[in-house]
Amino acid sequence: MAVSFCGKRLLLTRSNLFANPRRHGYIVLVPEIGEDLPEKNPLASPHGLPEFNNVTIEKCVGAIGQQAIAVEKSVRGIEERLEQATTGVAPALEDVIKDIIMPLEATGAPLETTWGIAKTLYLGNSSRMPTKSYLTIHERARGARRAKFNSLPIYRTLKGALEQDVATPKDGLSGEERRLLQKYVLEAKLSGIEVDGSSKLELNEILERLAQERSKFQGKRDVAVKKYQQLITDPALMKEFPPTLLQSLATDPSQAMKGPWKITLQPAVAHRFLEYCGDRTHRWNLWQADTRKCSIHTDKSLENSSHLEAIRALRKRQAKLLGYETFAHMSMETKMAGSVETVRNALEELHRYARPAADTELGALERFAGEQGFRGPLDIYDVPYWKRRHLATVHQFDQEALKDYFPLPRVLAGLFQLAEELFGVRIVERVGVDVWHEDVRFYDVLEATGDEPIAGFYTDFYSREDEKLAVPDHTGWMVGIGNRSVAAGSALPLAALICNFPAPLYGKPSLLTLDDVQTLFSRFGRGLQHLLTHCRYSDVAGLSNVEWDAVEVSGHVLTHLLYDAPTIQAISGHYTNEDPLPEPCVEAIQRRRSHLAGYRLCRELYHANLDLELHLSSDYWLDVTRALYPQYHPFPLDRKDAHPCSLLAIASGDWGAAYYGHLWARMIAADVYSAFAEAKEPEARAAVGRRFRETFLALGGGTHPAEVFRRFRGRDPSPTALLQTLGIYKPQAGGERPKQTPGKDEQHQQ
């Protein structure tokens, strides 16, 4: 995992293009244009927005080259001035900001914007920004960013400034400035700036080998996923599949009802197959292929066991060289939780309630299956199928039927109205803006009583098979194009929401599943945090510098708001006549969230703990798995199950020793949402919304998220709200309540 703070949260794609600096053995024949370009950004129009109609690969590469040179030149200039200052007197704190931070902001912010434009085009119109071209831009931008964070003279000066700030707090830095300097110092430390001599050479070798092992792990997993294909020709096996899913699986989409249908191990395909396939033998075949891929029990040339062990060993040595006990302890430097102990305590508290609930839920599910004619005990590969059947039969939840009530225009209007009511903003479409496709729209964000835009964002919602990037299990992104920066003058925060929803067809609008609606709310929540930031410096504004386990909080809060009955009604209406969603359907949507919630939470807790233990323990990965699995699963571990050998996010991606962060963010968001739930009257609810805007949406990475939470809630977070939301914990008078979870700042005080 790259345990560094990122100026922009990097997007996840099928090959982690935005996370791992790799060499792929090709040459991109696009020149890097630098000094010869005019000072004006060639990608910007007179009104300050990108000229997407005129953006080309050459212009993007040229602008990045020019801006990267400017960043590197600024770093060299600052280093020369610092080295010439031989008086031995540390610069005043105000001079540190004026002479170091502001010049770096002035050159860094434009580079981030060009990088954001390239990301937007890559996701929104890959025919105009192919993968190889984007990689050129990406690597050049990363190189320039490393230069400003890894300068020894700048590191020493900023570290000294932080020590001076502690000694003279009355005349010290603002909280945002302190966080900014801490970011620079921590970035440099985690990159090995304090390591020298032979240890430095060893660290560089470890990082190079680590990149190679991660690449091999991902490459083998991708091959294993593509290698498995099952062709189903019997329509009887597919009778329970919805038409849209049949069409996506059919070898010939025009013959969706006749087949044949191709089943693969792509996670989205495998999961849906287990949900809808009524034949238990076929479910078992797919499940065992999925859990045994990349193991010695299948194709030995694709085994990942050796790479997983190498990655663990290299990460452990990396952490030791940087002064940490383990890679997990190093990871906590960039997390809200702050310590392994805090994470373990929170996960243990959730598990205390989740496991009994899971056992009860599975008992009820097995009884239901028996009533429907199933014989024998359920196994793990049976649960998705019977879970869907139970939800549809007992709770009347039918995701396909509900789509007719969620046309995208209605959902979007309701979402914007919710933002206006809670956060005091207006969202107004602006026409005549340069865009990368005719489907794209642009919206200004204004204060509720103002006329001047304070931010803006693009939307590109419809899938386009030939030109838009489609990544399995990723139906939407929020791309930060431009961040707020005092050094960037009048530039406003700019973002893009890019999704792969079904396009309107035959006069019918885009109809969203509930999962699609959740994706939209989540990405919009993250977008608001980018757009409504009050931070002055781009390196801590919006989502920049937000700890990894807190970066998803705002998105999850919006998703929680989606499940309120008034919100569901406001964003829904039948696409033909706008008839309201029937009350039983509203209740079914709300029940879905708590359906088998204990079982699902146990699985999340298992993966979070597995990730932690793999980076804390030196035991063989299979021994770690065998020890943990029974604690979270009522089903026995199959002797050939090798699922850790294909866990991309943990081994090859950026979530090693950080996977718990997804669950942690949900826990924090549920506690935040509980303040909205407690506000019964519209005025009180609006007041909570304003407080949420003033804290989580405004403070960004300029304030530690533990402090942000305390300012919003007046206390430390607790797992109670998440357990209540999932229906796992119901408070009783005088009964024991889940414990609060102190944040990093409080632990240091203690």
Side-chain angles (χ1 to χ4, degrees):
M1 179 191 107
V3 283
S4 62
F5 286 80
C6 295
K8 284 179 182 287
R9 287 295 158 186
L10 302 183
L11 304 163
L12 297 176
T13 73
R14 57 191 165 197
S15 55
N16 274 337
L17 297 179
F18 306 109
N20 303 328
R22 299 175 183 168
R23 301 300 179 193
H24 291 261
Y26 51 75
I27 298 174
V28 183
L29 297 177
V30 179
E32 178 178 299
I33 307 169
E35 302 282 10
D36 296 334
L37 279 180
E39 290 186 6
K40 175 183 176 295
N41 187 341
L43 308 182
S45 66
H47 51 72
L49 296 177
E51 286 189 322
F52 278 108
N53 280 329
N54 297 320
V55 169
T56 63
I57 296 170
E58 290 81 5
K59 285 184 178 180
C60 276
V61 173
I64 280 288
Q66 178 192 38
Q67 293 158 353
I69 290 171
V71 169
E72 292 158 354
K73 186 181 292 185
S74 176
V75 170
R76 288 195 299 270
I78 293 170
E79 288 177 335
E80 290 171 1
R81 290 197 302 273
L82 292 174
E83 289 168 352
Q84 290 170 0
T86 56
T87 60
V89 178
L93 295 178
E94 59 187 37
D95 292 334
V96 169
I97 300 298
K98 178 171 64 75
D99 297 335
I100 298 179
I101 298 300
M102 291 299 286
L104 293 176
E105 277 278 312
T107 54
L111 179 138
E112 295 286 343
T113 297
T114 301
W115 196 358
I117 291 170
K119 292 177 189 177
T120 301
L121 270 184
Y122 176 61
L123 292 170
N125 195 333
S126 56
S127 62
R128 291 177 57 188
M129 183 59 65
T131 299
K132 292 181 180 180
S133 301
Y134 177 75
L135 274 172
T136 300
I137 293 167
H138 175 71
E139 293 304 320
R140 189 66 183 96
R142 282 176 64 90
R145 175 183 284 166
R146 282 193 295 269
K148 72 174 185 175
F149 287 132
N150 293 349
S151 163
L152 188 57
I154 292 175
Y155 167 74
R156 287 172 174 166
T157 304
L158 297 187
K159 187 177 180 182
L162 286 172
E163 293 169 353
Q164 181 183 345
D165 179 59
V166 172
T168 57
K170 289 185 178 180
D171 303 318
L173 303 164
S174 69
E176 181 183 335
E177 291 168 344
R178 190 175 303 112
R179 283 274 289 180
L180 181 58
L181 267 60
Q182 288 169 346
K183 169 180 178 169
Y184 272 81
V185 169
L186 184 57
E187 278 273 11
K189 178 184 176 183
L190 294 177
S191 297
I193 204 164
E194 294 179 342
V195 180
D196 52 24
S198 60
S199 294
K200 184 73 168 182
L201 294 175
E202 184 183 357
L203 179 62
N204 291 337
E205 181 183 349
I206 284 172
L207 294 176
E208 180 64 29
R209 289 175 56 199
L210 194 50
Q212 294 170 1
E213 291 293 335
R214 291 170 63 181
S215 180
K216 290 175 183 177
F217 187 99
Q218 176 166 327
K220 288 187 176 182
R221 184 266 186 188
D222 290 347
V223 171
V225 166
K226 293 175 182 176
K227 186 176 180 181
Y228 178 90
Q229 291 188 4
Q230 180 184 1
L231 203 63
I232 294 181
T233 58
D234 184 2
L237 288 173
M238 310 295 285
K239 63 183 179 181
E240 297 185 52
F241 285 63
T244 53
L245 182 54
L246 287 175
Q247 187 174 36
S248 68
L249 298 176
T251 56
D252 180 357
S254 67
Q255 301 294 318
M257 306 307 292
K258 294 181 179 179
W261 302 272
K262 185 171 68 174
I263 309 302
T264 70
L265 293 183
Q266 286 289 357
V269 174
H271 179 70
R272 300 300 297 279
F273 184 82
L274 291 176
E275 276 190 319
Y276 285 96
C277 179
D279 184 89
R280 195 182 194 210
T281 300
H282 279 78
R283 290 201 301 268
W284 182 84
N285 283 335
L286 182 73
W287 175 83
Q288 63 88 20
D290 194 33
T291 56
R292 297 177 188 181
K293 64 180 181 289
C294 299
S295 74
I296 59 172
H297 304 296
T298 53
D299 186 342
K300 292 186 179 180
S301 68
L302 296 178
E303 67 83 18
N304 263 339
S305 176
S306 58
H307 301 301
L308 177 58
E309 288 300 286
I311 290 167
R312 294 175 64 205
L314 290 167
R315 284 174 171 169
K316 184 174 183 179
R317 183 57 186 158
Q318 175 193 3
K320 289 286 187 184
L321 288 171
L322 292 174
Y324 298 94
E325 182 181 347
T326 68
F327 188 78
H329 289 84
M330 184 176 93
S331 173
M332 291 302 120
E333 288 276 34
T334 57
K335 307 301 181 295
M336 174 184 174
S339 74
V340 171
E341 181 183 6
T342 298
V343 175
R344 279 178 155 169
N345 288 342
L347 298 181
E348 182 180 335
E349 191 68 10
L350 290 171
H351 182 243
R352 188 159 68 96
Y353 292 87
R355 182 58 196 265
D359 292 339
T360 301
E361 292 163 354
L362 289 174
L365 189 66
E366 190 165 276
R367 288 192 296 274
F368 168 78
E371 293 167 1
Q372 302 298 312
F374 180 78
R375 296 292 174 262
L378 290 178
D379 210 328
I380 190 168
Y381 50 85
D382 298 315
V383 174
Y385 175 77
W386 288 107
K387 173 178 175 290
R388 177 189 62 81
R389 289 275 305 268
H390 186 262
L391 190 59
T393 304
V394 177
H395 300 294
Q396 291 82 51
F397 179 85
D398 185 342
Q399 174 133 266
E400 290 299 311
L402 286 173
K403 286 166 56 177
D404 289 349
Y405 287 91
F406 291 104
L408 178 58
R410 177 67 177 260
V411 174
L412 202 59
L415 178 57
F416 291 171
Q417 179 67 28
L418 180 69
E420 181 173 337
E421 293 172 356
L422 293 181
F423 310 130
V425 297
R426 288 189 297 124
I427 298 172
V428 181
E429 183 175 358
R430 190 201 303 187
V431 297
V433 172
D434 279 355
V435 294
W436 57 92
H437 191 274
E438 61 182 8
D439 292 341
V440 179
R441 300 289 181 267
F442 182 81
Y443 297 89
D444 285 311
V445 181
L446 304 93
E447 296 289 359
T449 57
D451 296 321
E452 292 297 320
I454 58 174
F457 64 96
Y458 300 87
T459 64
D460 185 1
F461 289 134
Y462 306 133
S463 61
R464 294 188 293 274
E465 186 175 345
D466 294 333
E467 64 178 42
K468 199 171 182 182
L469 187 69
V471 179
D473 299 325
H474 286 276
T475 56
W477 296 269
M478 191 290 291
V479 183
I481 299 177
N483 221 346
R484 190 169 188 266
S485 171
V486 66
S490 61
L492 300 177
L494 194 62
L497 305 180
I498 301 176
C499 298
N500 275 313
F501 299 147
L505 191 63
Y506 305 127
K508 184 187 294 187
S510 176
L511 300 177
L512 306 185
T513 65
L514 188 61
D515 290 339
D516 291 334
V517 177
Q518 286 187 177
T519 295
L520 176 59
F521 269 61
S522 173
R523 301 307 180 266
F524 184 69
R526 295 185 68 174
L528 287 177
Q529 191 167 353
H530 177 85
L531 298 169
L532 299 182
T533 184
H534 285 177
C535 293
R536 292 164 48 83
Y537 304 98
S538 65
D539 276 318
V540 294
L543 291 166
S544 301
N545 198 45
V546 175
E547 276 69 4
W548 284 49
D549 49 359
V551 76
E552 298 174 349
V553 168
S554 294
H556 284 311
V557 171
L558 266 288
T559 303
H560 279 296
L561 290 167
L562 161 63
Y563 281 89
D564 289 345
T567 303
I568 297 174
Q569 294 288 14
I571 65 171
S572 63
H574 201 281
Y575 78 93
T576 60
N577 52 20
E578 298 189 355
D579 278 354
L581 187 66
E583 189 63 31
C585 293
V586 175
E587 295 171 357
I589 289 172
Q590 293 173 323
R591 284 193 297 267
R592 183 207 191 201
R593 183 164 56 173
S594 60
H595 187 246
L596 258 69
Y599 174 76
R600 289 185 281 114
L601 182 55
C602 275
R603 286 181 62 81
E604 292 179 80
L605 288 166
Y606 165 70
H607 283 102
N609 278 284
L610 175 65
D611 171 42
L612 274 183
E613 289 304 314
L614 287 174
H615 292 96
L616 287 167
S617 170
S618 297
D619 295 341
Y620 185 51
W621 69 263
L622 184 55
D623 295 329
V624 174
T625 304
R626 286 172 173 166
L628 283 175
Y629 195 89
Q631 300 177 38
Y632 300 91
H633 297 85
F635 310 111
L637 178 67
D638 186 88
R639 63 186 183 86
K640 294 184 179 180
D641 189 332
H643 61 273
C645 292
S646 58
L647 291 178
L648 277 188
I650 292 172
S652 184
D654 288 334
W655 290 95
Y659 198 79
Y660 83 91
H662 299 298
L663 187 52
W664 180 277
R666 286 181 56 207
M667 182 185 78
I668 301 300
D671 207 343
V672 170
Y673 165 74
S674 66
F676 287 94
E678 292 163 6
K680 304 300 182 184
E681 300 299 325
E683 295 79 6
R685 188 177 168 90
V688 175
R690 300 298 191 276
R691 193 165 77 246
F692 181 72
R693 177 180 174 180
E694 292 164 2
T695 52
F696 281 92
L697 300 183
L699 298 177
T703 305
H704 193 280
E707 174 61 22
V708 174
F709 183 90
R710 291 186 199 112
R711 292 187 191 181
F712 176 79
R713 211 68 178 95
R715 57 167 173 78
D716 285 315
S718 162
T720 304
L722 177 60
L723 294 169
Q724 287 180 314
T725 299
L726 297 175
I728 295 173
Y729 168 78
K730 295 179 175 59
Q732 298 176 353
E736 184 181 5
R737 296 176 61 86
K739 302 171 185 175
Q740 284 192 350
T741 304
K744 182 176 182 178
D745 290 353
E746 181 175 311
Q747 289 171 341
H748 286 182
Q749 292 168 7
Q750 293 173 347

